[in-house]
Amino acid sequence: LSPLALAAMSQRAMHDLMVFGADGETTPIGLIGISNIAPMFGSGTLWYVLGEKSYEGKGITSQAVEQALDRAFGTLGLESVNAWVVANNIGSIRVLEKNGFHKIGRQRKCHRIGATLVDRIHFDKLVDEQTRDRRNDGSLAQE
């Protein structure tokens, strides 16, 4: 996303954007958002990007997703959050599954990467699942 696109998105109520970083550091390493926020329907779409690849596999994106879900189901009052992942992005699939998302379907050959068309895997999570996944100490329960 360009800086101009981010600035425009941040001004619209249908997007809720946050930068995230590693614990104890002030340098942003990624961007996470809930977009397509539809208060009338109680839904939104989660997306995220880790810009600093040296932080892959350290759980930082999973923590950012956990915080975004708390915001989506709390502050934003959503009932359902959905997301999609390119089928070969195993790390991102793990992030969603770790945060209690459920696979709900596959959209075939709908995403172009270079000259190749690949599938998207669709996920969702409901507010009552988020509540159930929480322990008394506030951390996400492990499945």
Side-chain angles (χ1 to χ4, degrees):
L1 295 171
S2 72
L4 182 59
L6 284 174
M9 287 175 72
S10 70
Q11 301 300 314
R12 303 207 46 216
M14 68 182 298
H15 303 287
D16 189 72
L17 307 175
M18 296 174 283
V19 294
F20 64 93
D23 285 341
E25 296 183 24
T26 58
T27 304
I29 62 169
L31 180 65
I32 190 165
I34 306 289
S35 292
N36 304 319
I37 297 170
M40 181 175 163
F41 300 120
S43 63
T45 301
L46 173 77
W47 58 270
Y48 45 88
V49 59
L50 180 62
E52 183 55 56
K53 301 304 180 195
S54 64
Y55 289 95
E56 280 182 348
K58 299 182 187 233
I60 298 166
T61 303
S62 291
Q63 290 175 346
V65 168
E66 182 179 344
Q67 292 172 0
L69 288 172
D70 285 344
R71 183 161 169 76
F73 292 129
T75 305
L76 301 177
L78 301 182
E79 296 292 325
S80 174
V81 173
N82 64 76
W84 61 265
V85 176
V86 174
N88 63 353
N89 189 341
I90 304 304
S92 197
I93 290 170
R94 286 188 186 135
V95 165
L96 294 176
E97 289 176 340
K98 182 178 179 181
N99 277 281
F101 277 81
H102 300 275
K103 290 181 185 175
I104 59 170
R106 177 181 291 262
Q107 190 176 6
R108 298 175 299 155
K109 294 187 177 184
C110 65
H111 191 95
R112 188 175 303 278
I113 298 178
T116 305
L117 287 170
V118 296
D119 296 355
R120 290 179 182 169
I121 308 296
H122 291 265
F123 294 82
D124 73 356
K125 186 169 187 180
L126 305 177
V127 65
D128 61 324
E129 294 166 341
Q130 178 76 355
T131 303
R132 186 179 60 235
D133 286 350
R134 291 306 206 157
R135 293 188 188 139
N136 291 335
D137 66 3
S139 64
L140 196 63
Q142 297 298 313
E143 293 183 4

mmCIF file of all heavy atoms in Angstrom, residues 4 7 10 14 16 19-20 24 28-30 36-37 47 82-83 87 92 95 102 115 118-119 121 127 137 139-140:
data_model
loop_
_atom_site.group_PDB
_atom_site.id
_atom_site.type_symbol
_atom_site.label_atom_id
_atom_site.label_comp_id
_atom_site.label_asym_id
_atom_site.label_seq_id
_atom_site.Cartn_x
_atom_site.Cartn_y
_atom_site.Cartn_z
ATOM 1 N N LEU A 4 -0.197 7.282 0.454
ATOM 2 C CA LEU A 4 -1.443 7.984 0.153
ATOM 3 C C LEU A 4 -2.648 7.076 0.383
ATOM 4 O O LEU A 4 -3.653 7.497 0.965
ATOM 5 C CB LEU A 4 -1.428 8.494 -1.295
ATOM 6 C CG LEU A 4 -2.650 9.297 -1.733
ATOM 7 C CD1 LEU A 4 -2.842 10.524 -0.847
ATOM 8 C CD2 LEU A 4 -2.512 9.706 -3.187
ATOM 9 N N ALA A 7 -3.188 6.723 4.101
ATOM 10 C CA ALA A 7 -3.779 7.948 4.654
ATOM 11 C C ALA A 7 -5.266 8.012 4.354
ATOM 12 O O ALA A 7 -6.074 8.357 5.223
ATOM 13 C CB ALA A 7 -3.062 9.173 4.094
ATOM 14 N N SER A 10 -7.164 5.390 6.485
ATOM 15 C CA SER A 10 -7.251 5.726 7.904
ATOM 16 C C SER A 10 -8.336 6.757 8.190
ATOM 17 O O SER A 10 -8.752 6.911 9.333
ATOM 18 C CB SER A 10 -5.900 6.210 8.422
ATOM 19 O OG SER A 10 -5.587 7.479 7.882
ATOM 20 N N MET A 14 -14.764 2.591 7.552
ATOM 21 C CA MET A 14 -14.824 1.172 7.191
ATOM 22 C C MET A 14 -13.478 0.468 7.359
ATOM 23 O O MET A 14 -13.361 -0.729 7.124
ATOM 24 C CB MET A 14 -15.338 0.994 5.766
ATOM 25 C CG MET A 14 -14.398 1.497 4.698
ATOM 26 S SD MET A 14 -15.047 1.332 3.018
ATOM 27 C CE MET A 14 -15.227 -0.423 2.859
ATOM 28 N N ASP A 16 -10.071 0.038 10.131
ATOM 29 C CA ASP A 16 -9.447 0.265 11.420
ATOM 30 C C ASP A 16 -8.024 -0.284 11.304
ATOM 31 O O ASP A 16 -7.837 -1.497 11.195
ATOM 32 C CB ASP A 16 -10.226 -0.459 12.527
ATOM 33 C CG ASP A 16 -9.748 -0.082 13.897
ATOM 34 O OD1 ASP A 16 -10.022 1.054 14.323
ATOM 35 O OD2 ASP A 16 -9.085 -0.920 14.537
ATOM 36 N N VAL A 19 -0.407 -0.199 13.370
ATOM 37 C CA VAL A 19 0.936 -0.727 13.131
ATOM 38 C C VAL A 19 1.295 -1.586 14.336
ATOM 39 O O VAL A 19 0.769 -1.391 15.425
ATOM 40 C CB VAL A 19 1.987 0.383 12.913
ATOM 41 C CG1 VAL A 19 1.714 1.146 11.645
ATOM 42 C CG2 VAL A 19 2.066 1.307 14.099
ATOM 43 N N PHE A 20 2.166 -2.555 14.119
ATOM 44 C CA PHE A 20 2.610 -3.372 15.246
ATOM 45 C C PHE A 20 4.106 -3.590 15.165
ATOM 46 O O PHE A 20 4.723 -3.428 14.121
ATOM 47 C CB PHE A 20 1.843 -4.696 15.345
ATOM 48 C CG PHE A 20 2.030 -5.647 14.192
ATOM 49 C CD1 PHE A 20 3.012 -6.628 14.234
ATOM 50 C CD2 PHE A 20 1.193 -5.599 13.085
ATOM 51 C CE1 PHE A 20 3.169 -7.522 13.185
ATOM 52 C CE2 PHE A 20 1.335 -6.491 12.033
ATOM 53 C CZ PHE A 20 2.338 -7.460 12.082
ATOM 54 N N GLY A 24 8.771 -4.518 23.376
ATOM 55 C CA GLY A 24 9.893 -3.754 23.879
ATOM 56 C C GLY A 24 10.608 -2.905 22.839
ATOM 57 O O GLY A 24 11.587 -2.250 23.155
ATOM 58 N N PRO A 28 8.079 0.037 14.052
ATOM 59 C CA PRO A 28 6.997 -0.764 13.472
ATOM 60 C C PRO A 28 7.563 -1.802 12.503
ATOM 61 O O PRO A 28 8.493 -1.519 11.752
ATOM 62 C CB PRO A 28 6.153 0.253 12.706
ATOM 63 C CG PRO A 28 6.637 1.594 13.105
ATOM 64 C CD PRO A 28 8.007 1.431 13.654
ATOM 65 N N ILE A 29 6.994 -3.019 12.551
ATOM 66 C CA ILE A 29 7.437 -4.077 11.645
ATOM 67 C C ILE A 29 6.298 -4.609 10.783
ATOM 68 O O ILE A 29 6.522 -5.421 9.897
ATOM 69 C CB ILE A 29 8.104 -5.239 12.407
ATOM 70 C CG1 ILE A 29 7.126 -5.893 13.379
ATOM 71 C CG2 ILE A 29 9.370 -4.763 13.094
ATOM 72 C CD1 ILE A 29 7.614 -7.191 13.964
ATOM 73 N N GLY A 30 5.072 -4.167 11.065
ATOM 74 C CA GLY A 30 3.943 -4.656 10.289
ATOM 75 C C GLY A 30 2.735 -3.758 10.422
ATOM 76 O O GLY A 30 2.707 -2.821 11.225
ATOM 77 N N ASN A 36 -13.566 -3.267 5.501
ATOM 78 C CA ASN A 36 -14.943 -3.617 5.120
ATOM 79 C C ASN A 36 -15.834 -3.713 6.354
ATOM 80 O O ASN A 36 -16.708 -4.568 6.431
ATOM 81 C CB ASN A 36 -14.987 -4.938 4.336
ATOM 82 C CG ASN A 36 -14.103 -4.899 3.124
ATOM 83 O OD1 ASN A 36 -14.038 -3.903 2.420
ATOM 84 N ND2 ASN A 36 -13.384 -5.979 2.881
ATOM 85 N N ILE A 37 -15.592 -2.830 7.321
ATOM 86 C CA ILE A 37 -16.378 -2.834 8.553
ATOM 87 C C ILE A 37 -17.807 -2.421 8.204
ATOM 88 O O ILE A 37 -18.028 -1.351 7.644
ATOM 89 C CB ILE A 37 -15.774 -1.888 9.603
ATOM 90 C CG1 ILE A 37 -14.382 -2.380 10.001
ATOM 91 C CG2 ILE A 37 -16.688 -1.766 10.815
ATOM 92 C CD1 ILE A 37 -13.594 -1.396 10.847
ATOM 93 N N TRP A 47 -6.917 -8.336 7.915
ATOM 94 C CA TRP A 47 -5.756 -8.524 7.042
ATOM 95 C C TRP A 47 -4.532 -8.014 7.779
ATOM 96 O O TRP A 47 -4.638 -7.227 8.722
ATOM 97 C CB TRP A 47 -5.927 -7.818 5.693
ATOM 98 C CG TRP A 47 -6.157 -6.335 5.796
ATOM 99 C CD1 TRP A 47 -7.360 -5.708 5.908
ATOM 100 C CD2 TRP A 47 -5.158 -5.319 5.838
ATOM 101 N NE1 TRP A 47 -7.170 -4.350 6.010
ATOM 102 C CE2 TRP A 47 -5.824 -4.084 5.962
ATOM 103 C CE3 TRP A 47 -3.768 -5.327 5.768
ATOM 104 C CZ2 TRP A 47 -5.144 -2.875 6.028
ATOM 105 C CZ3 TRP A 47 -3.087 -4.118 5.834
ATOM 106 C CH2 TRP A 47 -3.791 -2.916 5.957
ATOM 107 N N ASN A 82 -13.865 -12.090 9.195
ATOM 108 C CA ASN A 82 -13.408 -13.070 8.213
ATOM 109 C C ASN A 82 -12.030 -12.665 7.701
ATOM 110 O O ASN A 82 -11.584 -11.541 7.879
ATOM 111 C CB ASN A 82 -14.418 -13.205 7.073
ATOM 112 C CG ASN A 82 -14.563 -11.917 6.288
ATOM 113 O OD1 ASN A 82 -13.697 -11.572 5.486
ATOM 114 N ND2 ASN A 82 -15.649 -11.188 6.517
ATOM 115 N N ALA A 83 -11.367 -13.626 7.073
ATOM 116 C CA ALA A 83 -10.039 -13.403 6.500
ATOM 117 C C ALA A 83 -9.825 -14.425 5.393
ATOM 118 O O ALA A 83 -10.512 -15.448 5.344
ATOM 119 C CB ALA A 83 -8.961 -13.572 7.575
ATOM 120 N N ALA A 87 -3.381 -19.996 -0.570
ATOM 121 C CA ALA A 87 -3.320 -21.391 -0.121
ATOM 122 C C ALA A 87 -1.921 -21.878 0.252
ATOM 123 O O ALA A 87 -1.785 -22.729 1.132
ATOM 124 C CB ALA A 87 -3.928 -22.303 -1.181
ATOM 125 N N SER A 92 0.809 -17.880 7.440
ATOM 126 C CA SER A 92 -0.381 -17.068 7.683
ATOM 127 C C SER A 92 -1.575 -17.943 8.077
ATOM 128 O O SER A 92 -2.389 -17.542 8.913
ATOM 129 C CB SER A 92 -0.704 -16.232 6.447
ATOM 130 O OG SER A 92 -1.586 -15.197 6.789
ATOM 131 N N VAL A 95 -1.164 -18.558 11.685
ATOM 132 C CA VAL A 95 -1.523 -17.381 12.490
ATOM 133 C C VAL A 95 -3.028 -17.363 12.742
ATOM 134 O O VAL A 95 -3.480 -17.170 13.871
ATOM 135 C CB VAL A 95 -1.067 -16.078 11.796
ATOM 136 C CG1 VAL A 95 -1.730 -14.851 12.412
ATOM 137 C CG2 VAL A 95 0.449 -15.943 11.850
ATOM 138 N N HIS A 102 -11.683 -20.466 11.831
ATOM 139 C CA HIS A 102 -12.105 -21.733 11.240
ATOM 140 C C HIS A 102 -12.099 -21.618 9.727
ATOM 141 O O HIS A 102 -12.570 -20.615 9.175
ATOM 142 C CB HIS A 102 -13.521 -22.103 11.705
ATOM 143 C CG HIS A 102 -13.618 -22.248 13.189
ATOM 144 N ND1 HIS A 102 -13.299 -23.417 13.829
ATOM 145 C CD2 HIS A 102 -13.971 -21.361 14.139
ATOM 146 C CE1 HIS A 102 -13.461 -23.241 15.132
ATOM 147 N NE2 HIS A 102 -13.864 -22.006 15.342
ATOM 148 N N ALA A 115 2.665 -15.022 -12.856
ATOM 149 C CA ALA A 115 1.863 -15.595 -13.938
ATOM 150 C C ALA A 115 0.997 -16.763 -13.470
ATOM 151 O O ALA A 115 0.286 -17.370 -14.268
ATOM 152 C CB ALA A 115 2.784 -16.071 -15.063
ATOM 153 N N VAL A 118 -3.539 -18.871 -8.072
ATOM 154 C CA VAL A 118 -3.571 -19.734 -6.892
ATOM 155 C C VAL A 118 -4.906 -19.587 -6.171
ATOM 156 O O VAL A 118 -5.649 -18.633 -6.396
ATOM 157 C CB VAL A 118 -2.394 -19.431 -5.936
ATOM 158 C CG1 VAL A 118 -1.056 -19.739 -6.594
ATOM 159 C CG2 VAL A 118 -2.444 -17.997 -5.466
ATOM 160 N N ASP A 119 -5.183 -20.538 -5.294
ATOM 161 C CA ASP A 119 -6.415 -20.540 -4.508
ATOM 162 C C ASP A 119 -6.274 -19.645 -3.283
ATOM 163 O O ASP A 119 -5.169 -19.403 -2.790
ATOM 164 C CB ASP A 119 -6.739 -21.955 -4.020
ATOM 165 C CG ASP A 119 -7.025 -22.939 -5.131
ATOM 166 O OD1 ASP A 119 -7.067 -22.532 -6.307
ATOM 167 O OD2 ASP A 119 -7.215 -24.129 -4.811
ATOM 168 N N ILE A 121 -7.806 -19.521 0.713
ATOM 169 C CA ILE A 121 -8.509 -20.249 1.762
ATOM 170 C C ILE A 121 -9.217 -19.195 2.622
ATOM 171 O O ILE A 121 -8.592 -18.240 3.083
ATOM 172 C CB ILE A 121 -7.544 -21.072 2.643
ATOM 173 C CG1 ILE A 121 -6.645 -21.959 1.792
ATOM 174 C CG2 ILE A 121 -8.319 -21.882 3.678
ATOM 175 C CD1 ILE A 121 -7.332 -23.016 1.005
ATOM 176 N N VAL A 127 -17.782 -13.719 17.531
ATOM 177 C CA VAL A 127 -17.516 -13.080 18.818
ATOM 178 C C VAL A 127 -17.616 -14.079 19.964
ATOM 179 O O VAL A 127 -16.794 -14.053 20.877
ATOM 180 C CB VAL A 127 -18.438 -11.852 19.056
ATOM 181 C CG1 VAL A 127 -19.898 -12.249 19.170
ATOM 182 C CG2 VAL A 127 -17.973 -11.053 20.267
ATOM 183 N N ASP A 137 -7.156 -15.163 32.640
ATOM 184 C CA ASP A 137 -6.039 -14.191 32.715
ATOM 185 C C ASP A 137 -5.942 -13.322 31.479
ATOM 186 O O ASP A 137 -5.062 -12.485 31.379
ATOM 187 C CB ASP A 137 -4.719 -14.910 32.963
ATOM 188 C CG ASP A 137 -4.284 -15.807 31.808
ATOM 189 O OD1 ASP A 137 -4.966 -15.845 30.777
ATOM 190 O OD2 ASP A 137 -3.240 -16.464 31.966
ATOM 191 N N SER A 139 -5.381 -14.241 28.280
ATOM 192 C CA SER A 139 -4.618 -14.712 27.127
ATOM 193 C C SER A 139 -5.449 -15.689 26.310
ATOM 194 O O SER A 139 -6.390 -16.288 26.799
ATOM 195 C CB SER A 139 -3.318 -15.393 27.592
ATOM 196 O OG SER A 139 -3.625 -16.543 28.353
ATOM 197 N N LEU A 140 -5.086 -15.827 25.062
ATOM 198 C CA LEU A 140 -5.799 -16.704 24.158
ATOM 199 C C LEU A 140 -5.544 -18.148 24.563
ATOM 200 O O LEU A 140 -4.414 -18.556 24.778
ATOM 201 C CB LEU A 140 -5.322 -16.467 22.720
ATOM 202 C CG LEU A 140 -6.193 -17.021 21.614
ATOM 203 C CD1 LEU A 140 -7.560 -16.345 21.643
ATOM 204 C CD2 LEU A 140 -5.541 -16.776 20.279
#
